[in-house]
Amino acid sequence: MSFNLTLDKNVDAPYSAMATAGAAQDAFNHARKSESPTWSGATDLTLPDDRVWQATSPEEQALLLVNKERADRGLPALEWDRGLLSRQAANHCREMVQFDYYEHASPLRFENDAQWECLALGPTVAYGVYSWMYQDAASKWNHRKYVLGERAAKVGIGTAVRPDGLIFLAFYLVPASYASDPTVVTAPPALDVPTVVRSGKVQVTNVLPAQSGAAAAIAAVVFHAGAAVAPPKPGDRWHMKPTFLTVAATNEPPGGTTWTAQLDGATAATLHAVAVDRSGNWTDRAAATSAGTEDPPIRLGTGFTSTDWGTTLGSAVGLTTTWDSEGGAWWVDPDGKHGFDFEKRIVGDHGACVYGFALRRVKGGIYRYAVVVDGRGPKGFGSGWFTLWFTDETGDTYKLGLWDSSRKSHQVEFNSDKPSIVKVSWG
């Protein structure tokens, strides 16, 4: 079957966020018909019922769409490499969220195993795959060429949701000869507090992998003075041309656990060291916080009360109730064992709801705390967002939008001298 690896011109941009199976199916079929003069094998794409589609993970959705495009062009399906390759893809997406940029390169100087790499950012992964397939004309990105490549045989897939609700999608493609490593390492490396040895020279000691094995081996160490990535320049809406502010460290002696670098202007108040392993897991350790300044405590209370439970617009006041195993405090766990059922209490339109949420300390990066929400957004095209606002003891408020109608974890990160959340609002 003949088909074009590249497009002569872009197909009309998607006319929806493709938040449902029907919307995605309509958009892809519209694109196929628009492309038909240059592709003789145009057929309709069919997707599962929307209930099945919404219960499918974003990674599975993306792979299904790409493999349907390949199958209808006579190409073999890509095999999902769920081990090291997918962990690298997922961690790069997390890294782009954490450090607020959009680029293949990494400020952590991490080199992944991908031979061909595709990134997308949009309201859904379907939107991302569509952009690779039908919005790639005359570009130097070669997304369509990569996902339809005859040599591509395996793929690592990663996703991560930004605070504004947009989702990163990464496809790391490799040939059949790639030696897959099934190991999945989730724990990041350990390292001591970084220090300024003398003017311009910085050092970190005892940089150690979280476990044995190649997938956990230390891949790189970098230093930065307060920020790993410079703020975006005017007009760079998606921060696609980031300026990295990190410097690569040298392992001295090679094979040891000490890393050094030259970083002019770094002080004990600004210095950070970041260690990253072969899976892309990283730890960002600050000198100032770790060298004697303790994080403000998370206070415990008796829970939250509200006269707005069960309504789609309301607020609740109170304080955290119990510690969890990750050093944070749950207000209510997803199983409701503390006597609450937030699925019936904090609710939005079109089936949106919150099952549970926690305040946790962030172990790396520029933020020290995160509100982690277990919830889902509204169902149906055009149904919008389910918005949550969290207010801490200083009066600062942090906004989080839930748009995906499938149940998943969302989070908003922040810094505060009094991080305990005393009010949550929704609407």
Side-chain angles (χ1 to χ4, degrees), residues 303-333:
F304 283 72
T305 60
S306 176
T307 59
D308 300 324
W309 295 136
T311 67
T312 57
L313 182 66
S315 62
V317 295
L319 203 60
T320 50
T321 56
T322 184
W323 290 107
D324 70 9
S325 62
E326 298 188 36
W330 275 107
W331 299 324
V332 58
D333 68 22

PDB file of all heavy atoms in Angstrom, residues 303-333:
ATOM      1  N   GLY A 303      -9.769  17.674  60.438  1.00  0.00           N
ATOM      2  CA  GLY A 303     -10.456  17.489  59.164  1.00  0.00           C
ATOM      3  C   GLY A 303     -11.159  18.748  58.698  1.00  0.00           C
ATOM      4  O   GLY A 303     -10.975  19.828  59.256  1.00  0.00           O
ATOM      5  N   PHE A 304     -11.980  18.607  57.664  1.00  0.00           N
ATOM      6  CA  PHE A 304     -12.652  19.744  57.049  1.00  0.00           C
ATOM      7  C   PHE A 304     -14.160  19.667  57.254  1.00  0.00           C
ATOM      8  O   PHE A 304     -14.739  18.579  57.302  1.00  0.00           O
ATOM      9  CB  PHE A 304     -12.336  19.790  55.552  1.00  0.00           C
ATOM     10  CG  PHE A 304     -10.969  20.326  55.244  1.00  0.00           C
ATOM     11  CD1 PHE A 304      -9.834  19.575  55.509  1.00  0.00           C
ATOM     12  CD2 PHE A 304     -10.817  21.588  54.722  1.00  0.00           C
ATOM     13  CE1 PHE A 304      -8.580  20.071  55.247  1.00  0.00           C
ATOM     14  CE2 PHE A 304      -9.565  22.106  54.453  1.00  0.00           C
ATOM     15  CZ  PHE A 304      -8.444  21.352  54.713  1.00  0.00           C
ATOM     16  N   THR A 305     -14.773  20.835  57.358  1.00  0.00           N
ATOM     17  CA  THR A 305     -16.227  20.920  57.468  1.00  0.00           C
ATOM     18  C   THR A 305     -16.755  21.878  56.416  1.00  0.00           C
ATOM     19  O   THR A 305     -16.049  22.801  55.977  1.00  0.00           O
ATOM     20  CB  THR A 305     -16.662  21.416  58.859  1.00  0.00           C
ATOM     21  OG1 THR A 305     -16.112  22.724  59.078  1.00  0.00           O
ATOM     22  CG2 THR A 305     -16.195  20.464  59.946  1.00  0.00           C
ATOM     23  N   SER A 306     -18.013  21.656  56.008  1.00  0.00           N
ATOM     24  CA  SER A 306     -18.603  22.511  54.987  1.00  0.00           C
ATOM     25  C   SER A 306     -20.116  22.352  54.988  1.00  0.00           C
ATOM     26  O   SER A 306     -20.642  21.281  55.325  1.00  0.00           O
ATOM     27  CB  SER A 306     -18.061  22.152  53.602  1.00  0.00           C
ATOM     28  OG  SER A 306     -18.690  22.914  52.598  1.00  0.00           O
ATOM     29  N   THR A 307     -20.797  23.417  54.630  1.00  0.00           N
ATOM     30  CA  THR A 307     -22.246  23.341  54.383  1.00  0.00           C
ATOM     31  C   THR A 307     -22.531  23.151  52.906  1.00  0.00           C
ATOM     32  O   THR A 307     -23.694  23.129  52.490  1.00  0.00           O
ATOM     33  CB  THR A 307     -22.936  24.628  54.875  1.00  0.00           C
ATOM     34  OG1 THR A 307     -22.375  25.762  54.179  1.00  0.00           O
ATOM     35  CG2 THR A 307     -22.755  24.801  56.375  1.00  0.00           C
ATOM     36  N   ASP A 308     -21.445  22.994  52.098  1.00  0.00           N
ATOM     37  CA  ASP A 308     -21.592  22.895  50.636  1.00  0.00           C
ATOM     38  C   ASP A 308     -21.334  21.494  50.098  1.00  0.00           C
ATOM     39  O   ASP A 308     -21.246  21.314  48.884  1.00  0.00           O
ATOM     40  CB  ASP A 308     -20.614  23.872  49.955  1.00  0.00           C
ATOM     41  CG  ASP A 308     -20.855  25.310  50.337  1.00  0.00           C
ATOM     42  OD1 ASP A 308     -22.033  25.673  50.503  1.00  0.00           O
ATOM     43  OD2 ASP A 308     -19.868  26.064  50.479  1.00  0.00           O
ATOM     44  N   TRP A 309     -21.157  20.493  50.990  1.00  0.00           N
ATOM     45  CA  TRP A 309     -20.902  19.133  50.511  1.00  0.00           C
ATOM     46  C   TRP A 309     -21.996  18.723  49.518  1.00  0.00           C
ATOM     47  O   TRP A 309     -23.180  18.968  49.736  1.00  0.00           O
ATOM     48  CB  TRP A 309     -20.903  18.128  51.654  1.00  0.00           C
ATOM     49  CG  TRP A 309     -19.832  18.234  52.705  1.00  0.00           C
ATOM     50  CD1 TRP A 309     -20.022  18.135  54.053  1.00  0.00           C
ATOM     51  CD2 TRP A 309     -18.423  18.394  52.526  1.00  0.00           C
ATOM     52  NE1 TRP A 309     -18.837  18.241  54.727  1.00  0.00           N
ATOM     53  CE2 TRP A 309     -17.824  18.402  53.812  1.00  0.00           C
ATOM     54  CE3 TRP A 309     -17.611  18.550  51.410  1.00  0.00           C
ATOM     55  CZ2 TRP A 309     -16.455  18.545  54.010  1.00  0.00           C
ATOM     56  CZ3 TRP A 309     -16.246  18.692  51.611  1.00  0.00           C
ATOM     57  CH2 TRP A 309     -15.678  18.691  52.882  1.00  0.00           C
ATOM     58  N   GLY A 310     -21.575  18.110  48.427  1.00  0.00           N
ATOM     59  CA  GLY A 310     -22.530  17.587  47.444  1.00  0.00           C
ATOM     60  C   GLY A 310     -22.996  18.592  46.425  1.00  0.00           C
ATOM     61  O   GLY A 310     -23.717  18.235  45.498  1.00  0.00           O
ATOM     62  N   THR A 311     -22.594  19.865  46.561  1.00  0.00           N
ATOM     63  CA  THR A 311     -22.963  20.879  45.579  1.00  0.00           C
ATOM     64  C   THR A 311     -21.794  21.114  44.637  1.00  0.00           C
ATOM     65  O   THR A 311     -20.640  20.806  44.954  1.00  0.00           O
ATOM     66  CB  THR A 311     -23.341  22.201  46.257  1.00  0.00           C
ATOM     67  OG1 THR A 311     -22.173  22.761  46.888  1.00  0.00           O
ATOM     68  CG2 THR A 311     -24.435  21.976  47.299  1.00  0.00           C
ATOM     69  N   THR A 312     -22.064  21.676  43.476  1.00  0.00           N
ATOM     70  CA  THR A 312     -21.027  21.838  42.456  1.00  0.00           C
ATOM     71  C   THR A 312     -20.267  23.158  42.597  1.00  0.00           C
ATOM     72  O   THR A 312     -19.409  23.459  41.771  1.00  0.00           O
ATOM     73  CB  THR A 312     -21.648  21.765  41.055  1.00  0.00           C
ATOM     74  OG1 THR A 312     -22.663  22.771  40.922  1.00  0.00           O
ATOM     75  CG2 THR A 312     -22.259  20.392  40.809  1.00  0.00           C
ATOM     76  N   LEU A 313     -20.589  23.930  43.607  1.00  0.00           N
ATOM     77  CA  LEU A 313     -19.875  25.176  43.876  1.00  0.00           C
ATOM     78  C   LEU A 313     -19.829  25.363  45.388  1.00  0.00           C
ATOM     79  O   LEU A 313     -20.871  25.481  46.034  1.00  0.00           O
ATOM     80  CB  LEU A 313     -20.590  26.365  43.224  1.00  0.00           C
ATOM     81  CG  LEU A 313     -19.936  27.744  43.385  1.00  0.00           C
ATOM     82  CD1 LEU A 313     -18.608  27.784  42.640  1.00  0.00           C
ATOM     83  CD2 LEU A 313     -20.867  28.840  42.876  1.00  0.00           C
ATOM     84  N   GLY A 314     -18.622  25.375  45.967  1.00  0.00           N
ATOM     85  CA  GLY A 314     -18.584  25.488  47.417  1.00  0.00           C
ATOM     86  C   GLY A 314     -17.179  25.553  47.957  1.00  0.00           C
ATOM     87  O   GLY A 314     -16.197  25.659  47.218  1.00  0.00           O
ATOM     88  N   SER A 315     -17.077  25.481  49.271  1.00  0.00           N
ATOM     89  CA  SER A 315     -15.778  25.510  49.939  1.00  0.00           C
ATOM     90  C   SER A 315     -15.878  24.777  51.268  1.00  0.00           C
ATOM     91  O   SER A 315     -16.975  24.568  51.805  1.00  0.00           O
ATOM     92  CB  SER A 315     -15.310  26.953  50.167  1.00  0.00           C
ATOM     93  OG  SER A 315     -16.208  27.638  51.014  1.00  0.00           O
ATOM     94  N   ALA A 316     -14.729  24.372  51.786  1.00  0.00           N
ATOM     95  CA  ALA A 316     -14.647  23.690  53.075  1.00  0.00           C
ATOM     96  C   ALA A 316     -13.451  24.247  53.826  1.00  0.00           C
ATOM     97  O   ALA A 316     -12.431  24.608  53.222  1.00  0.00           O
ATOM     98  CB  ALA A 316     -14.504  22.181  52.882  1.00  0.00           C
ATOM     99  N   VAL A 317     -13.550  24.325  55.151  1.00  0.00           N
ATOM    100  CA  VAL A 317     -12.456  24.837  55.965  1.00  0.00           C
ATOM    101  C   VAL A 317     -12.065  23.792  56.991  1.00  0.00           C
ATOM    102  O   VAL A 317     -12.867  22.939  57.384  1.00  0.00           O
ATOM    103  CB  VAL A 317     -12.852  26.152  56.672  1.00  0.00           C
ATOM    104  CG1 VAL A 317     -13.092  27.249  55.663  1.00  0.00           C
ATOM    105  CG2 VAL A 317     -14.084  25.948  57.550  1.00  0.00           C
ATOM    106  N   GLY A 318     -10.827  23.856  57.441  1.00  0.00           N
ATOM    107  CA  GLY A 318     -10.376  22.878  58.421  1.00  0.00           C
ATOM    108  C   GLY A 318      -8.870  22.737  58.384  1.00  0.00           C
ATOM    109  O   GLY A 318      -8.147  23.675  58.078  1.00  0.00           O
ATOM    110  N   LEU A 319      -8.395  21.525  58.649  1.00  0.00           N
ATOM    111  CA  LEU A 319      -6.972  21.244  58.682  1.00  0.00           C
ATOM    112  C   LEU A 319      -6.765  19.754  58.454  1.00  0.00           C
ATOM    113  O   LEU A 319      -7.679  18.949  58.650  1.00  0.00           O
ATOM    114  CB  LEU A 319      -6.389  21.668  60.039  1.00  0.00           C
ATOM    115  CG  LEU A 319      -4.887  21.970  60.101  1.00  0.00           C
ATOM    116  CD1 LEU A 319      -4.510  23.107  59.149  1.00  0.00           C
ATOM    117  CD2 LEU A 319      -4.495  22.370  61.527  1.00  0.00           C
ATOM    118  N   THR A 320      -5.568  19.395  58.034  1.00  0.00           N
ATOM    119  CA  THR A 320      -5.242  18.009  57.727  1.00  0.00           C
ATOM    120  C   THR A 320      -5.485  17.094  58.919  1.00  0.00           C
ATOM    121  O   THR A 320      -5.412  17.517  60.067  1.00  0.00           O
ATOM    122  CB  THR A 320      -3.767  17.917  57.300  1.00  0.00           C
ATOM    123  OG1 THR A 320      -2.986  18.590  58.266  1.00  0.00           O
ATOM    124  CG2 THR A 320      -3.567  18.549  55.954  1.00  0.00           C
ATOM    125  N   THR A 321      -5.735  15.814  58.629  1.00  0.00           N
ATOM    126  CA  THR A 321      -6.179  14.909  59.686  1.00  0.00           C
ATOM    127  C   THR A 321      -5.166  13.863  60.116  1.00  0.00           C
ATOM    128  O   THR A 321      -5.084  13.526  61.293  1.00  0.00           O
ATOM    129  CB  THR A 321      -7.447  14.167  59.234  1.00  0.00           C
ATOM    130  OG1 THR A 321      -7.166  13.503  58.000  1.00  0.00           O
ATOM    131  CG2 THR A 321      -8.596  15.118  59.051  1.00  0.00           C
ATOM    132  N   THR A 322      -4.392  13.302  59.176  1.00  0.00           N
ATOM    133  CA  THR A 322      -3.536  12.168  59.537  1.00  0.00           C
ATOM    134  C   THR A 322      -2.347  12.070  58.602  1.00  0.00           C
ATOM    135  O   THR A 322      -2.433  12.435  57.427  1.00  0.00           O
ATOM    136  CB  THR A 322      -4.324  10.850  59.505  1.00  0.00           C
ATOM    137  OG1 THR A 322      -3.475   9.787  59.961  1.00  0.00           O
ATOM    138  CG2 THR A 322      -4.817  10.514  58.117  1.00  0.00           C
ATOM    139  N   TRP A 323      -1.217  11.594  59.101  1.00  0.00           N
ATOM    140  CA  TRP A 323      -0.020  11.439  58.274  1.00  0.00           C
ATOM    141  C   TRP A 323      -0.165  10.257  57.324  1.00  0.00           C
ATOM    142  O   TRP A 323      -0.830   9.284  57.634  1.00  0.00           O
ATOM    143  CB  TRP A 323       1.204  11.219  59.166  1.00  0.00           C
ATOM    144  CG  TRP A 323       1.605  12.424  59.932  1.00  0.00           C
ATOM    145  CD1 TRP A 323       1.438  12.637  61.268  1.00  0.00           C
ATOM    146  CD2 TRP A 323       2.214  13.600  59.414  1.00  0.00           C
ATOM    147  NE1 TRP A 323       1.908  13.869  61.618  1.00  0.00           N
ATOM    148  CE2 TRP A 323       2.395  14.497  60.497  1.00  0.00           C
ATOM    149  CE3 TRP A 323       2.618  14.000  58.140  1.00  0.00           C
ATOM    150  CZ2 TRP A 323       2.966  15.752  60.344  1.00  0.00           C
ATOM    151  CZ3 TRP A 323       3.192  15.250  57.997  1.00  0.00           C
ATOM    152  CH2 TRP A 323       3.359  16.102  59.076  1.00  0.00           C
ATOM    153  N   ASP A 324       0.498  10.365  56.166  1.00  0.00           N
ATOM    154  CA  ASP A 324       0.573   9.218  55.266  1.00  0.00           C
ATOM    155  C   ASP A 324       2.012   8.713  55.221  1.00  0.00           C
ATOM    156  O   ASP A 324       2.902   9.265  55.855  1.00  0.00           O
ATOM    157  CB  ASP A 324       0.029   9.551  53.867  1.00  0.00           C
ATOM    158  CG  ASP A 324       0.917  10.511  53.079  1.00  0.00           C
ATOM    159  OD1 ASP A 324       2.045  10.793  53.536  1.00  0.00           O
ATOM    160  OD2 ASP A 324       0.494  10.966  52.017  1.00  0.00           O
ATOM    161  N   SER A 325       2.225   7.668  54.459  1.00  0.00           N
ATOM    162  CA  SER A 325       3.536   6.999  54.440  1.00  0.00           C
ATOM    163  C   SER A 325       4.593   7.775  53.679  1.00  0.00           C
ATOM    164  O   SER A 325       5.768   7.433  53.733  1.00  0.00           O
ATOM    165  CB  SER A 325       3.390   5.606  53.818  1.00  0.00           C
ATOM    166  OG  SER A 325       2.937   5.705  52.474  1.00  0.00           O
ATOM    167  N   GLU A 326       4.201   8.830  52.941  1.00  0.00           N
ATOM    168  CA  GLU A 326       5.157   9.561  52.124  1.00  0.00           C
ATOM    169  C   GLU A 326       5.520  10.916  52.723  1.00  0.00           C
ATOM    170  O   GLU A 326       5.973  11.816  52.042  1.00  0.00           O
ATOM    171  CB  GLU A 326       4.603   9.730  50.700  1.00  0.00           C
ATOM    172  CG  GLU A 326       4.385   8.410  49.987  1.00  0.00           C
ATOM    173  CD  GLU A 326       4.034   8.603  48.525  1.00  0.00           C
ATOM    174  OE1 GLU A 326       4.566   9.525  47.906  1.00  0.00           O
ATOM    175  OE2 GLU A 326       3.232   7.828  48.005  1.00  0.00           O
ATOM    176  N   GLY A 327       5.292  11.083  54.017  1.00  0.00           N
ATOM    177  CA  GLY A 327       5.690  12.315  54.665  1.00  0.00           C
ATOM    178  C   GLY A 327       4.728  13.460  54.477  1.00  0.00           C
ATOM    179  O   GLY A 327       5.068  14.620  54.683  1.00  0.00           O
ATOM    180  N   GLY A 328       3.515  13.176  54.076  1.00  0.00           N
ATOM    181  CA  GLY A 328       2.507  14.207  53.908  1.00  0.00           C
ATOM    182  C   GLY A 328       1.316  13.916  54.785  1.00  0.00           C
ATOM    183  O   GLY A 328       1.355  13.045  55.653  1.00  0.00           O
ATOM    184  N   ALA A 329       0.246  14.668  54.579  1.00  0.00           N
ATOM    185  CA  ALA A 329      -0.937  14.501  55.416  1.00  0.00           C
ATOM    186  C   ALA A 329      -2.180  14.383  54.552  1.00  0.00           C
ATOM    187  O   ALA A 329      -2.455  15.232  53.715  1.00  0.00           O
ATOM    188  CB  ALA A 329      -1.073  15.680  56.367  1.00  0.00           C
ATOM    189  N   TRP A 330      -2.926  13.301  54.743  1.00  0.00           N
ATOM    190  CA  TRP A 330      -4.190  13.105  54.015  1.00  0.00           C
ATOM    191  C   TRP A 330      -5.313  13.856  54.726  1.00  0.00           C
ATOM    192  O   TRP A 330      -5.395  13.856  55.955  1.00  0.00           O
ATOM    193  CB  TRP A 330      -4.573  11.622  53.984  1.00  0.00           C
ATOM    194  CG  TRP A 330      -3.934  10.856  52.887  1.00  0.00           C
ATOM    195  CD1 TRP A 330      -2.924   9.952  53.018  1.00  0.00           C
ATOM    196  CD2 TRP A 330      -4.253  10.915  51.503  1.00  0.00           C
ATOM    197  NE1 TRP A 330      -2.585   9.443  51.792  1.00  0.00           N
ATOM    198  CE2 TRP A 330      -3.386  10.025  50.834  1.00  0.00           C
ATOM    199  CE3 TRP A 330      -5.179  11.638  50.738  1.00  0.00           C
ATOM    200  CZ2 TRP A 330      -3.420   9.827  49.467  1.00  0.00           C
ATOM    201  CZ3 TRP A 330      -5.210  11.438  49.375  1.00  0.00           C
ATOM    202  CH2 TRP A 330      -4.346  10.549  48.751  1.00  0.00           C
ATOM    203  N   TRP A 331      -6.188  14.415  53.927  1.00  0.00           N
ATOM    204  CA  TRP A 331      -7.443  14.905  54.492  1.00  0.00           C
ATOM    205  C   TRP A 331      -8.468  13.793  54.497  1.00  0.00           C
ATOM    206  O   TRP A 331      -9.295  13.681  55.364  1.00  0.00           O
ATOM    207  CB  TRP A 331      -7.949  16.097  53.679  1.00  0.00           C
ATOM    208  CG  TRP A 331      -6.968  17.193  53.721  1.00  0.00           C
ATOM    209  CD1 TRP A 331      -6.185  17.532  54.784  1.00  0.00           C
ATOM    210  CD2 TRP A 331      -6.598  18.065  52.669  1.00  0.00           C
ATOM    211  NE1 TRP A 331      -5.369  18.581  54.466  1.00  0.00           N
ATOM    212  CE2 TRP A 331      -5.594  18.934  53.169  1.00  0.00           C
ATOM    213  CE3 TRP A 331      -7.009  18.234  51.356  1.00  0.00           C
ATOM    214  CZ2 TRP A 331      -5.026  19.930  52.413  1.00  0.00           C
ATOM    215  CZ3 TRP A 331      -6.442  19.228  50.598  1.00  0.00           C
ATOM    216  CH2 TRP A 331      -5.448  20.061  51.123  1.00  0.00           C
ATOM    217  N   VAL A 332      -8.396  12.958  53.479  1.00  0.00           N
ATOM    218  CA  VAL A 332      -9.206  11.745  53.432  1.00  0.00           C
ATOM    219  C   VAL A 332      -8.558  10.834  52.413  1.00  0.00           C
ATOM    220  O   VAL A 332      -8.128  11.278  51.370  1.00  0.00           O
ATOM    221  CB  VAL A 332     -10.683  12.025  53.053  1.00  0.00           C
ATOM    222  CG1 VAL A 332     -10.781  12.722  51.725  1.00  0.00           C
ATOM    223  CG2 VAL A 332     -11.503  10.752  53.013  1.00  0.00           C
ATOM    224  N   ASP A 333      -8.440   9.556  52.713  1.00  0.00           N
ATOM    225  CA  ASP A 333      -7.805   8.681  51.742  1.00  0.00           C
ATOM    226  C   ASP A 333      -8.838   8.178  50.728  1.00  0.00           C
ATOM    227  O   ASP A 333     -10.042   8.295  50.932  1.00  0.00           O
ATOM    228  CB  ASP A 333      -7.075   7.518  52.432  1.00  0.00           C
ATOM    229  CG  ASP A 333      -8.000   6.529  53.111  1.00  0.00           C
ATOM    230  OD1 ASP A 333      -9.187   6.449  52.752  1.00  0.00           O
ATOM    231  OD2 ASP A 333      -7.511   5.828  54.001  1.00  0.00           O
TER     232      ASP A 333
END
